[in-house]
Amino acid sequence: MTYRIELKKVSKSFGEVQALKDIDFKLGQNEVVGLLGDNGAGKSTLIKILTGYHQPTSGEIYFNGEQVENLTVPKARKLGVETVYQERALAELQTLWRNIFLGRELSNPLGFMDIKKMKDETHRLMIESMGFTSSAVTPDSPIGTFSGGEKQGVAIVRALYFNADIIILDEPTMGLSLKETRKLLNFVRGIKGAGKSAVFIDHNIFHVYNVADRVIVIDRGMVAGEFNTSDITLDDLMDKMYRIAETGSFNGAVEQEYSQGQQQ
Amino acid sequence: MTNTESTQPYQDKFSLAKFVRSNGTQLGIFGVFITLWLIFIFAAPDTFLASNIYYAFMSTIPFFAIMAMPLTLAVIAGEMDLSFTSIMAMGMIAFILTYDATSSVALAFIAALLMGTVAGFLNGIIVVIFGIPSLVATIGTQFFWRGAVLVLSEGRSGSLGYTRASLLHPVLVGKIGGVFPMQMVWLIIVTIAMWALLNKHRFGSHVFLIGDNENSARLMGINAGRVRIIVFSLIGAISAFAGVIASLYVTYFWPSLGDGYLLRTLASVFLGGTSVFGGAGTIFGTFIGAFIIGAIEAATVAVGLTGFWTQLIYGSIIVLSVIMHSYLRRRLK
């Protein structure tokens, strides 16, 4: 079986800081993989390598079994990778339609845009996928006026519109209300239902455990372990996460009262 | 996901409220323009109800207004250029040196445009590759190119009388029907070209985007550095073009060419409602802004005030307009 994405011994350094070390990562066909890890563990760096934003210092990247050299953002997109970033990847002063087609404007060979078509498509997506019903919101509305959940909706729809095979969600529940979060988790299940693959990064272990087939724990730039969610209970996974955060090993002795979380 | 049958296509229904909301700053500056105009007509009807003053405006305003157009793109992209007035003069140095070597006005013109493009491109390289903020980088290149002009011309001015015989002279600075100045036609052409580039072309989309949220632009695969370099090159090319127009108009070259245009050009852009923080701005606003700036000087005198009042009035109108834009922008969200 070929994997949608496979990383072999990928390392990434920023100057003297080694963010990732010898990462082996696989994303299967129609699989949702959750990435867990503390702040600074290297989750973000890893997904930025998958999306072509960062180039690895060493290691190999395979898409559908074929090695890809010099992965860039446009190249990754061609290979079917779409990323739902936080609302931080929206341009607040720009209109909804410009945000949906950001970086991929529909245009003729001379580069002039088909604005009418982009507005029509935006309008259709608003009604069919984003659940905007208010007549105050149009494709010409600037994004800055939207609520957090609405912005997240825009970011997700943007990823879906372009028929991605691999959808990467970078902390998508951050700042969402309970209701919005539930909608989002259903959406991730929908990705799997549609036969696509996803990588889901979140701080919240409950969210990840609920939707992922497999969980990869990253610690200090390395893969600390992998678990199929069907093989491990949530309690066990949480226990292991605490151990790794405290001791750097899944089986290390943990001091009492870790669950009260000495937040630093 | 391209099934479009299930929902109605987007009807861009016209409503006055929506129009005002999305064009607030443009309406604002247009209102200022009309108000000033009415004041001028009321205070000096003899001058402002005759056509002469308007032909005069159309001869002189394009010299800096042409450069304000690509500068608007730079400001929207979150950048600044202070070197274009020196590039104007440097383009003319290339013009004169090429003419001296080849006796061809056409080649001289091409050399001027190339020189401008190269100078702008270098601004872009300094900003993008070396990561120097453009405000600082272009202060440096402003001195550099002015210095190069002085060294190469040895500070001398000179007649460009030979250009009168060439086709370039009537095409750039001739008068249609003996009255309508060609430089105004070029201003309109540059304005429309920059408007189309900014609003109808994907390049313009990327200009807005990198000024608004550069991180987002990068995450979405836009090469922000390339966009910046192109914008600076465009300013360079068009500044050299404006330099040729301004010099051919008087058929004379002064090594100080461009001095005095810097603040007017910048003021046109900001008066027109382009945000100094990037991400928002219009070509239409800059166009109106340039005419307000260009008209004030003549108007002050025509209204009966002494020329000493000019700068005071400039200052008041610029400050009040910028406050108005900031207010409108917040209210119309």
Side-chain angles (χ1 to χ4, degrees):
Chain A
M1 154 176 179
T2 58
Y3 295 99
R4 284 278 195 209
I5 304 183
E6 188 173 3
L7 301 185
K8 286 186 184 168
K9 292 221 171 291
V10 161
S11 300
K12 175 72 185 174
S13 310
F14 298 99
E16 292 190 357
V17 180
Q18 182 142 38
L20 293 176
K21 190 163 183 271
D22 293 338
I23 296 277
D24 288 316
F25 171 92
K26 298 178 181 78
L27 175 67
Q29 312 279 352
N30 197 18
E31 184 186 34
V32 176
V33 168
L35 277 185
L36 284 171
D38 229 335
N39 285 339
K43 303 187 300 282
S44 294
T45 311
L46 178 57
I47 63 145
K48 281 180 174 159
I49 283 177
L50 297 179
T51 58
Y53 184 80
H54 287 320
Q55 279 68 46
T57 314
S58 64
E60 293 164 357
I61 303 174
Y62 295 83
F63 276 83
N64 302 316
E66 282 181 33
Q67 192 172 354
V68 178
E69 305 272 357
N70 302 322
L71 189 67
T72 57
V73 176
K75 218 180 208 177
R77 280 182 157 176
K78 274 208 187 96
L79 290 163
V81 179
E82 272 304 325
T83 314
V84 177
Y85 291 102
Q86 281 282 313
E87 45 185 85
R88 62 175 182 264
L90 297 174
E92 300 259 319
L93 298 172
Q94 311 309 323
T95 58
L96 178 55
W97 71 265
R98 279 196 198 260
N99 268 286
I100 294 279
F101 290 94
L102 205 153
R104 257 175 322 192
E105 298 78 8
L106 306 177
S107 49
N108 68 19
L110 289 175
F112 285 95
M113 302 186 288
D114 188 345
I115 294 174
K116 182 165 182 340
K117 175 146 192 235
M118 287 193 273
K119 285 187 181 176
D120 285 347
E121 289 293 294
T122 303
H123 182 69
R124 188 176 61 76
L125 290 169
M126 279 168 61
I127 290 173
E128 290 177 3
S129 317
M130 283 185 263
F132 284 132
T133 45
S134 156
S135 62
V137 177
T138 72
D140 288 310
S141 305
I143 291 274
T145 58
F146 293 12
S147 76
E150 285 171 339
K151 285 180 190 167
Q152 199 63 44
V154 172
I156 290 167
V157 165
R158 177 163 77 184
L160 283 187
Y161 175 76
F162 294 95
N163 270 335
D165 294 324
I166 303 157
I167 293 164
I168 296 175
L169 297 107
D170 184 8
E171 308 246 0
T173 59
M174 195 187 277
L176 293 194
S177 70
L178 275 174
K179 201 176 133 202
E180 288 167 346
T181 303
R182 213 163 94 191
K183 223 166 121 185
L184 182 104
L185 295 179
N186 281 331
F187 160 76
V188 178
R189 291 189 192 100
I191 294 176
K192 191 169 157 61
K196 301 174 177 196
S197 305
V199 181
F200 185 91
I201 297 109
D202 209 307
H203 271 92
N204 192 317
I205 191 166
F206 299 100
H207 295 161
V208 174
Y209 184 82
N210 263 318
V211 295
D213 299 312
R214 190 156 52 93
V215 171
I216 298 177
V217 182
I218 309 271
D219 185 61
R220 286 150 237 221
M222 293 190 279
V223 175
E226 291 184 40
F227 310 95
N228 290 320
T229 46
S230 54
D231 299 343
I232 190 168
T233 65
L234 182 57
D235 281 345
D236 283 349
L237 181 61
M238 276 168 67
D239 187 53
K240 288 195 186 293
M241 288 296 297
Y242 287 124
R243 279 175 200 278
I244 196 102
E246 290 279 318
T247 66
S249 140
F250 285 119
N251 304 311
V254 176
E255 286 175 33
Q256 285 291 302
E257 313 228 9
Y258 53 74
S259 58
Q260 285 179 5
Q262 289 134 351
Q263 285 165 0
Q264 285 160 352
Chain B
M1 287 188 60
T2 45
N3 159 37
T4 42
E5 286 160 357
S6 50
T7 31
Q8 289 287 314
Y10 172 49
Q11 297 287 319
D12 201 352
K13 265 179 273 160
F14 182 83
S15 89
L16 189 65
K18 210 175 89 184
F19 181 74
V20 169
R21 200 184 310 268
S22 50
N23 298 295
T25 58
Q26 295 176 77
L27 290 172
I29 195 63
F30 194 63
V32 171
F33 177 75
I34 296 292
T35 310
L36 284 173
W37 192 27
L38 291 176
I39 292 172
F40 295 158
I41 290 178
F42 187 74
D46 291 347
T47 310
F48 281 93
L49 289 176
S51 57
N52 278 350
I53 186 95
Y54 299 105
Y55 288 128
F57 288 155
M58 288 191 287
S59 326
T60 54
I61 290 173
F63 299 149
F64 67 91
I66 285 178
M67 297 186 289
M69 299 307 161
L71 188 66
T72 305
L73 264 63
V75 176
I76 292 173
E79 299 295 334
M80 179 45 73
D81 190 337
L82 300 177
S83 69
F84 58 87
T85 49
S86 299
I87 296 176
M88 276 179 97
M90 193 57 208
M92 277 313 291
I93 292 287
F95 186 102
I96 291 164
L97 291 179
T98 308
Y99 182 81
D100 287 350
T102 64
S103 298
S104 160
V105 172
L107 282 179
F109 179 57
I110 291 167
L113 295 185
L114 275 179
M115 183 68 239
T117 311
V118 168
F121 180 79
L122 287 176
N123 278 338
I125 294 292
I126 296 167
V127 169
V128 172
I129 308 288
F130 296 102
I132 313 290
S134 51
L135 183 76
V136 179
T138 56
I139 287 177
T141 52
Q142 181 193 42
F143 279 110
F144 179 84
W145 291 118
R146 183 64 67 191
V149 168
L150 292 172
V151 167
L152 291 168
S153 68
E154 294 171 341
R156 285 172 306 179
S157 50
S159 169
L160 301 169
Y162 54 82
T163 58
R164 279 190 193 282
S166 76
L167 188 64
L168 195 66
H169 193 273
V171 167
L172 291 186
V173 294
K175 285 198 162 82
I176 300 173
V179 283
F180 195 88
M182 273 308 286
Q183 56 266 42
M184 184 65 198
V185 174
W186 286 106
L187 171 60
I188 292 168
I189 290 172
V190 169
T191 303
I192 291 173
M194 289 299 126
W195 174 83
L197 186 64
L198 183 62
N199 296 296
K200 300 290 169 196
H201 197 275
R202 54 187 301 159
F203 181 78
S205 246
H206 299 171
V207 167
F208 275 118
L209 190 62
I210 65 174
D212 190 343
N213 184 345
E214 177 164 3
N215 191 33
S216 161
R218 286 180 192 274
L219 289 170
M220 292 297 131
I222 290 166
N223 188 338
R226 191 172 144 260
V227 172
R228 289 208 166 86
I229 291 174
I230 293 174
V231 168
F232 280 110
S233 306
L234 208 55
I235 296 178
I238 292 180
S239 300
F241 180 65
V244 175
I245 288 183
S247 302
L248 259 57
Y249 182 67
V250 292
T251 56
Y252 208 80
F253 169 75
W254 274 280
S256 62
L257 172 67
D259 274 0
Y261 286 147
L262 179 63
L263 290 179
R264 283 168 205 228
T265 314
L266 290 176
S268 306
V269 174
F270 292 121
L271 201 54
T274 297
S275 165
V276 72
F277 303 111
T282 64
I283 292 289
F284 175 79
T286 300
F287 187 84
I288 297 291
F291 271 82
I292 292 176
I293 293 284
I296 289 172
E297 193 156 14
T300 321
V301 178
V303 163
L305 296 167
T306 63
F308 300 124
W309 282 86
T310 316
Q311 300 213 5
L312 189 95
I313 295 172
Y314 266 145
S316 317
I317 289 174
I318 291 170
V319 170
L320 290 176
S321 300
V322 172
I323 290 172
M324 175 193 77
H325 285 311
S326 157
Y327 176 78
L328 286 176
R329 208 170 278 133
R330 260 179 286 134
R331 281 303 301 270
L332 293 173
K333 267 202 171 152

